[in-house]
Every structure is written in structure tokens, then in C-alpha cells.
Amino acid sequence: MKMLFFGRKLAAALLLTFLCPVTSLYAQINRQGLVQRHQVLVNKMDSLSSLSVGNGKFAFTVDATGLQTFPDAYAKGVPLGTQSEWGWDSFKDTANFKLEEAYKYYDQHGRKVSYTVQQNETQRSKDASNYYRQNVHRLQLGNIGLELSKANGKLALPADIKNIKQVLDPWTGEIRSSFTFDGVPVTVVTLGHQDQDIIAASVKSDLIKLGRLKIRLRFPYPTGDWIDVGNNWDDLERHTSSITNSNQNGAVVKHQLDSVAYFTAFSWKSGARIVEKSKHYFTIIPDKKSNDFSFSCLFSAKKSQHAVPLFAAVQSNSINKWKAFWLSGAAVDFSGSIDKRANELERRIILSLYLTKIQCAGDFPPQETGLTYNSWFGKPHLEMHWWHGVHFALWGRPALLNKSVDWYFTVKDKAANIAKRQGFDGVRWQKMTDNEGNESPSSVGAMLIWQQPHIITFTELEYRAHPDQKTLQKYKDLVFKTADFMASFAHYDEDKQRYVLGPGLIPAQERFKAETTFNPTYELAYWEWALKTAQQWRSRLGMARNAKWDDVIAKLSPLPKQDGVYLATESATDSYTNPEYKTDHPSVLGAYGMLPETSLLDKAVMKKTFNLVWDTWSWNDTWGWDFPMTAMTAARLNMPEKAIDALLMNVKTNTYLVNGHNYQDDRLRLYLPGNGGLLTAIAMMCAGWDGNKIESPGFPKDGTWKVKWEGFKKMM
């Protein structure tokens, strides 16, 4: 624990650091006050202001009514999704496709190497690659909303909802919504259970007594499209849904799709009943004797043998578990800062913590749109796992990262098969994949390599949290097999007597052709760091160094530079003159930002590169994690003003909506790598990194920022 303070407070805080365990110092920041001053307020129907509850494995997103009442109106904003880690489906394969039909062979140093790509050579190969991209696809499990009827019997439209006041309290995980419909007040409290895939809601209104307020459950059919927002009400005959049992205390509804069936189980106070209104459309009708109705709903892959906990139990669970979350790990407080941007940065931090906890803290790498709606058919991208998860470790919550890191054990064999098929050693980690570790065809993704060293980053962070033999023994095989691939992928150029990466790759800046690209700067630096770190693991275990890894480390190509700056890749001597190459991720900065200083790096060259990128990059054509990546590099280069400016750059893809989501464009209305990246940058800007001796190195020292923080862990 450190604090940027003055006088006696600083001395007292430093003394406490040595005398007390860090957990006893959390009272230094009023965490409840910090979190609750960033409650989300919504006062209108706005498709970009929807709010979510969830637990990391399951999330449920609501409109301004507090439930999913108007899914069609929110379809082009932040959609009203209901998604769980286990919810996947595949359409029937009536053509008997083989994944091999999506292979394309690239020449790599005299060998033909197969990559799983999007084919167009024949209709059959095109259909095969499309099938494997589309399947499996993540499911929208169901839509639970209010069915509000006017006095004339017509159903409510969004414009009929008046006097909206909705509050998300991140401290408790509660969404409290109030509005009027036909002049009658309605209040709704919505919560998510923190250990089970359960949502609960309490609804109060005289409309219940009038029979004009019911609870609606609808099941959409998956679209199979790149995006699925959960409002495909067509294809009624392609799936089935039915009430399997019901009584006065609850009901269970079964939904059967092409390859999966699952269950939606309700519990409520006695007196309500459920009816099937039409295909895939059910209504829960509360007892008219009361104006108050509460229910809980569990989504599960198997029919539960236990009663679903009632609203009060879910509420207690949510309040207690969220309090425990906020009182654990790190916190940062900018109150008292003169810089007018401080409150906005603090808001982004608190809401990013909330969103990544409910969307990214599960047992599997998350998709870029989390558990809200499908992008890329709902599939995670392993190169993004860094941005989704590293912050958990730096914020003192490594267990939230390790849950998804352990998933790599389950897909290791498939990763080994990819490497073997391509003629490499070890394991080649998938890019676009699913829970089972299957490859998805991708003309860009199949050629990326920067996801490969991530597992070494993750396990090294775990070792820093738990530096013992147990950690080393658990993860050593993942580390060593990862390094084996990296060493075999590096090709030795006999003429120049050096190892090169590529051709046959696309760098993190996805603007370069696989056939001609070699030696991208960021990937070279990452290769050296990861191989050296893998050697450290061998030393910690009392093992001899790996000779092949050492040979690659010693003879790896230098970081390519020209005119005193680092190039994006050695093959792109026009890195800063070709306009196309000044778009997308400025990943050259990642070589000293995401990564620590390596023996390949010249900090003076990187500083000159940073200034060139800062001044000439097409920032309007970037992604949400580019801004925290830039801030990390600025912080390491002792340019704290630029670090702040990067985090708060006024660019569309650096927009943070009222609900905290990082908006990109009309396809990606939320983008969780941006939220995770922000949190990683803040951790580094506060706690620094190995070898750093500057207090809170990412913040200006001119008196404009008052930064109080605790609980952060240093970056490498």
C-alpha cells in the first residue's frame, strides 16, 4: 500500500505499511463512498444505457423498466441479453463438413503449412468454413420482461413509459427502477445471484391488482449471424419450449434447440400461475390480491433438483458478495484533484470494475462483448484474454484471472494437435475458439501469434501472487510447451545468422499480409521476454536451461528500426508513410508498455517512436484498448501527462457510455477489452512495475492530481 500524500499522513501511512497487513489498511479509502458516488442514473429509454447484473459466469441486461420489456427497441444499442458460459448450440450439419475443408496452405520457409481460414475457392469450402465459424454459437437463453397492458388491452410501447428514474448501485449490485405507465407508478428491483445463474426481481404496482402487469418469458431462436442480440422471434418450428411442471410456488420451462436443451426454473410467492400464451411465449400472472410480486429465475443446463432461492435470499447474496468484492483487492481515489477529468476517469474505473466482474470473471476466456450479446458468433479471442484478465491480478484479485487460466489445461491437447499438424513443437494456442478449444476459421485470426505468450504472462502473475513450488508444478507444462512452440516457430536464417518470425504471420496490428510480413516489433519483444521467463521457471524448479530456447534468445532478430524509430514490422519500411499502416492498433508501443524493458529495447528509440505515433497516428481508426496501451508506454517512459491524455483521448472508440461500456461503433456497442485495459493501465500508473522508483509514476506531479491508492500489485 502506498499513497501520494503529504506531511504526517504520508509518514503515518508508510509506518502502517510495515506494521500491518494490507487488508487492515483498506479503511484508508472510504470504499463504499468511492463506489456509490458513481451510481449509474438513467432517466429515459435509451438503448445505449441498458444495465446489467451478473456474476462473471452469467449476465442479464435490462432496459429502463428494470427487466427486458422492450428487446426490439434496444437491439441496436446495448442489447437485452441473457447469457451464460454453458449456453452454446450448433445447427445441424446436414452436409457432413470436415474442418480440413477450411484449410489453406501457406509457404513458410520451404514448407507448406495448413491454416484454418475463411475459404472462397469453391462453394463447398466456403460453406464448410462458414459452418465452423458459425457453430458452435453462444445462446441468448431467454427474455424476461414486463407485459404491460393499457386499459384498452393494447400492450405498452417504449413511448408509454414515463417519469423514468433508474439507479444501478454497484456497491450492492442492485438496479432500482421506477416509472409510470398510464399514470400508474411501477417500481422494480433487479438483482443477480453471485454464485448461481439466477436473476430475481421485485415488482410493485397497482397494475398487478388490475391484471395489467404480468411477467413475460420469451425464447428467441439463434440467428447464426456474426451478431445475435436475442430478438429473433421467427423460426418458430425450429425449436420447442414447454412447461414441464408448475404449481402455486413456481414453474419450470424446457427449451429444446438443435443440439442442446436447457431449463428455466421460477420461484415466486404463492398465488401466481404460468400460462403458455403462444409458441415460445409464456406469461406469469400474479395474484390480483396484492400489488407486490417478486420472483426468482434460474437458467440451467440440467433440470435443478432444488428449489430456486426466493427474492430475499438472492438480494442478501448480492449485497453481501458485492460488498466483499469491493472490500477486497485494490482501490484508487482521485477526490480532491484539480484536473477536471479526474471524476470522469474515476467513474470509468469503478464501472469497469463492475462490468469486468460480471462479464469476464468466469471459468472461460470471455468474448469481447462478454455475456451481453454475440460478436464473432459469441466466441472468445485468446489474444484478447490479456486485456480481459491481466487487471484482475494487478488489482489484487488473481483468483478471478486464474479461473479462466486453468481452462488452458482442458484445451491443451487440441492446441498441441494444431502445432503438430503445422510441423511445430509444443502447443499453438487457438485464436478464435469456444469452450472446448475448437478452431474457428479466420483469415486473420489463424495467422496471429501474439496470443501465444499470454499464458506465460498469466502464470507469471500467478507465481508473483503465490511464489511457491505448488504454483510452479501446476503450470510448468503449460509454460514449457508454450515456449517449445515459440522456439520452433522462430526460423533460423542461415544467411543472416539470426532467428526471424515469419513470413506466415499477421501481427497485432492487423494491417499486414501474412505471406510477406516478418519480424513485427511487438511480437519479437514478446518472444524474447516469454522465452527468458520460461527459462526462469526452469531455474526455479532446479532444472537445466533449455538449449534450444537459449539459442533463439541469443540469436533473435533485433527490433527493426529506421530513421531512429521502431518499425511496425521489419518488412514494412513504410510503416509511417503508408496511411494504412498508421491505423488499427499502434502495437509497436506494446513492446515497452504491455511488456517490460527487454535486452532488445532501446528506450531512447522507443521514446522517439512514441512521439511519432502520438503525433501522426490515425487515432480515429483505433480500438478501445489502444488508449490504455499507449498510456502504459507513456508511463514507462516517464511521460505521465501523456498517460492521462491517452486514457481520456477524445476519440469515438474511447467513449465510455453512461453504463460504463466502452463504445466502439454500431457493431460493437460495448467492448470489454477497453474496460480491462483501462484497469491494467491504472494499476501500472499507481503501483508501477519492477524497477520503478517513482511514486505513482503514471500521474503528473504538478499538483493537479491527488491520488490515493492501496492494494495494487506491480507489473513486470
Side-chain angles (χ1 to χ4, degrees):
M1 191 283 293
K2 294 182 180 179
M3 297 182 294
L4 189 60
F5 250 136
F6 299 96
R8 294 179 180 177
K9 290 185 178 180
L10 175 59
L14 291 174
L15 179 62
L16 283 172
T17 300
F18 294 103
L19 297 179
C20 304
V22 70
T23 51
S24 70
L25 297 173
Y26 287 162
Q28 297 296 324
I29 292 177
N30 177 358
R31 295 197 174 204
Q32 183 172 356
L34 169 65
V35 172
Q36 289 190 314
R37 67 174 171 253
H38 298 292
Q39 293 181 349
V40 181
L41 307 178
V42 176
N43 57 16
K44 62 181 178 179
M45 283 284 173
D46 177 3
S47 67
L48 290 175
S49 297
S50 46
L51 304 175
S52 300
V53 295
N55 57 29
K57 300 180 179 182
F58 169 82
F60 180 81
T61 302
V62 304
D63 60 27
T65 69
L67 289 170
Q68 299 169 328
T69 306
F70 301 109
D72 295 343
Y74 280 67
K76 294 184 178 181
V78 176
L80 309 184
T82 306
Q83 294 195 327
S84 175
E85 287 190 323
W86 53 259
W88 296 80
D89 178 48
S90 286
F91 298 137
K92 293 178 181 178
D93 177 8
T94 58
N96 296 314
F97 292 122
K98 305 288 187 186
L99 185 61
E100 292 84 354
E101 296 177 85
Y103 290 172
K104 181 177 179 180
Y105 290 83
Y106 291 79
D107 181 77
Q108 275 186 266
H109 305 292
R111 294 193 306 114
K112 294 293 184 182
V113 180
S114 62
Y115 287 86
T116 310
V117 302
Q118 293 160 266
Q119 288 280 6
N120 287 299
E121 291 185 3
T122 67
Q123 188 61 47
R124 171 79 185 186
S125 63
K126 180 178 180 179
D127 291 343
S129 61
N130 286 341
Y131 179 82
Y132 286 107
R133 277 176 66 78
Q134 188 181 62
N135 297 285
V136 292
H137 43 262
R138 196 184 300 262
L139 286 173
Q140 291 286 6
L141 296 175
N143 177 273
I144 301 174
L146 299 174
E147 186 175 274
L148 297 164
S149 301
K150 298 180 181 180
N152 62 9
K154 292 185 177 181
L155 294 181
L157 299 173
D160 297 320
I161 308 301
K162 309 291 186 182
N163 304 310
I164 293 168
K165 182 179 179 181
Q166 185 177 53
V167 179
L168 165 65
D169 185 351
W171 182 257
T172 62
E174 291 180 297
I175 301 172
R176 295 184 175 270
S177 311
S178 65
F179 59 91
T180 59
F181 171 64
D182 266 7
V184 182
V186 181
T187 61
V188 180
V189 179
T190 314
L191 303 123
H193 199 285
Q194 294 306 292
D195 305 298
Q196 301 181 61
D197 293 359
I198 294 174
I199 65 103
S202 174
V203 184
K204 186 173 183 179
S205 177
D206 287 340
L207 291 169
I208 296 175
K209 288 186 173 183
L210 297 173
R212 292 171 50 195
L213 188 155
K214 303 170 185 176
I215 307 301
R216 180 200 67 225
L217 168 67
R218 296 185 75 182
F219 293 109
Y221 188 73
T223 63
D225 294 336
W226 189 88
I227 287 177
D228 188 349
V229 300
N231 71 331
N232 176 24
W233 314 119
D234 298 326
D235 301 303
L236 298 179
E237 304 303 324
R238 297 183 66 180
H239 56 138
T240 61
S241 52
S242 59
I243 301 170
T244 62
N245 59 278
S246 67
N247 54 49
Q248 64 178 359
N249 296 314
V252 178
V253 182
K254 179 181 180 181
H255 188 209
Q256 177 71 56
L257 291 153
D258 292 289
S259 67
V260 68
Y262 60 92
F263 299 87
T264 308
F266 289 91
S267 287
W268 54 68
K269 292 181 179 179
S270 60
R273 58 192 176 91
I274 188 170
V275 299
E276 183 175 0
K277 185 173 181 178
S278 60
K279 280 184 179 292
H280 314 298
Y281 190 135
F282 303 85
T283 54
I284 298 169
I285 306 170
D287 193 323
K288 293 183 181 180
K289 294 178 183 178
S290 173
N291 69 349
D292 189 358
F293 179 69
S294 63
F295 70 91
S296 302
C297 175
L298 166 70
F299 291 90
S300 60
K302 296 181 179 179
K303 191 172 182 178
S304 176
Q305 301 302 311
H306 306 285
V308 180
L310 292 171
F311 174 84
V314 178
Q315 185 176 44
S316 177
N317 171 274
S318 178
I319 291 172
N320 291 333
K321 291 296 179 71
W322 273 109
K323 181 179 179 181
F325 171 80
W326 290 114
L327 291 178
S328 72
V332 61
D333 183 338
F334 298 143
S335 58
S337 295
I338 297 172
D339 193 311
K340 295 180 179 179
R341 301 170 295 176
N343 186 69
E344 170 59 15
L345 183 57
E346 192 180 89
R347 181 190 78 90
R348 295 183 182 191
I349 292 168
I350 295 299
L351 297 184
S352 292
L353 287 167
Y354 179 82
L355 290 170
T356 55
K357 169 61 173 67
I358 69 174
Q359 305 266 2
C360 304
D363 294 332
F364 303 89
Q367 66 165 322
E368 295 180 25
T369 43
L371 295 165
T372 304
Y373 76 100
N374 283 5
S375 54
W376 287 277
F377 311 97
K379 296 179 179 180
H381 296 161
L382 293 195
E383 86 279 17
M384 289 294 103
H385 197 189
W386 198 102
W387 295 104
H388 286 290
V390 164
H391 67 91
F392 286 127
L394 299 184
W395 281 73
R397 302 184 182 102
L400 295 183
L401 170 60
N402 291 341
K403 289 193 296 180
S404 57
V405 170
D406 286 354
W407 168 85
Y408 287 80
F409 287 112
T410 69
V411 302
K412 181 183 66 173
D413 289 346
K414 291 183 178 179
N417 287 337
I418 295 171
K420 183 178 180 180
R421 187 190 85 216
Q422 296 178 338
F424 299 114
D425 299 333
V427 295
R428 180 170 191 162
W429 298 113
Q430 302 85 333
K431 193 278 189 191
M432 180 177 167
T433 185
D434 58 35
N435 283 6
E436 305 302 320
N438 297 307
E439 274 194 289
S440 293
S442 172
S443 296
V444 171
M447 314 304 297
L448 294 182
I449 61 170
W450 66 290
Q451 75 273 21
Q452 183 68 20
H454 285 350
I455 190 66
I456 298 180
T457 298
F458 302 151
T459 52
E460 182 68 8
L461 288 170
E462 171 61 7
Y463 179 75
R464 290 162 73 96
H466 302 101
D468 53 37
Q469 287 292 308
K470 183 179 179 181
T471 302
L472 295 171
Q473 290 292 339
K474 178 178 179 179
Y475 292 110
K476 65 179 182 180
D477 191 48
L478 294 184
V479 172
F480 296 162
K481 294 296 185 183
T482 296
D484 285 339
F485 170 82
M486 295 175 68
S488 67
F489 184 83
H491 174 75
Y492 190 66
D493 183 335
E494 293 284 355
D495 293 337
K496 296 184 178 180
Q497 296 188 337
R498 62 174 184 163
Y499 283 96
V500 298
L501 302 182
L505 62 80
I506 294 177
Q509 184 187 356
E510 299 175 5
R511 288 292 186 265
F512 301 92
K513 293 181 179 179
E515 295 87 343
T516 57
T517 299
F518 62 93
N519 280 346
T521 295
Y522 165 65
E523 282 79 358
L524 280 171
Y526 210 175
W527 240 241
E528 186 201 33
W529 176 85
L531 287 173
K532 284 185 173 179
T533 304
Q535 292 284 35
Q536 282 187 305
W537 275 61
R538 293 184 67 89
S539 297
R540 292 165 183 165
L541 286 160
M543 301 171 67
R545 293 177 69 86
N546 184 295
K548 172 64 174 177
W549 303 352
D550 268 344
D551 194 51
V552 175
I553 293 168
K555 300 173 184 176
L556 193 61
S557 296
L559 302 186
K561 60 185 178 181
Q562 177 179 280
D563 299 329
V565 298
Y566 288 123
L567 298 170
T569 77
E570 185 176 335
S571 49
T573 56
D574 55 347
S575 291
Y576 302 106
T577 56
N578 184 336
E580 182 183 4
Y581 295 164
K582 294 191 290 184
T583 64
D584 198 60
H585 312 296
S587 58
V588 64
L589 301 183
Y592 188 54
M594 296 173 69
L595 299 177
E597 183 178 358
T598 68
S599 59
L600 295 179
L601 185 89
D602 183 323
K603 285 193 287 188
V605 175
M606 179 54 78
K607 187 168 187 177
K608 187 174 179 181
T609 305
F610 178 94
N611 289 329
L612 178 63
V613 169
W614 184 269
D615 292 337
T616 66
W617 205 258
S618 298
W619 291 104
N620 287 321
D621 194 350
T622 50
W623 296 70
W625 56 265
D626 294 332
F627 306 98
M629 179 180 67
T630 303
M632 287 183 249
T633 306
R636 288 194 192 260
L637 290 171
N638 194 23
M639 303 168 72
E641 292 81 5
K642 283 288 194 293
I644 295 292
D645 289 346
L647 287 184
L648 294 161
M649 194 180 295
N650 185 21
V651 176
K652 183 176 72 171
T653 51
N654 199 35
T655 299
Y656 284 73
L657 303 172
V658 66
N659 50 25
H661 277 303
N662 179 208
Y663 179 90
Q664 300 297 286
D665 54 30
D666 59 4
R667 293 191 318 158
L668 292 170
R669 286 88 74 179
L670 64 95
Y671 188 62
L672 289 158
N675 298 94
L678 169 68
L679 297 175
T680 301
I682 289 296
M684 290 178 61
M685 291 163 66
C686 289
W689 47 88
D690 293 345
N692 167 70
K693 296 181 180 179
I694 301 173
E695 187 75 25
S696 298
F699 293 91
K701 306 301 186 290
D702 59 2
T704 58
W705 285 83
K706 184 177 181 181
V707 182
K708 181 165 67 170
W709 61 264
E710 59 198 21
F712 286 112
K713 307 300 180 184
K714 286 186 176 183
M715 186 54 155
M716 278 84 82

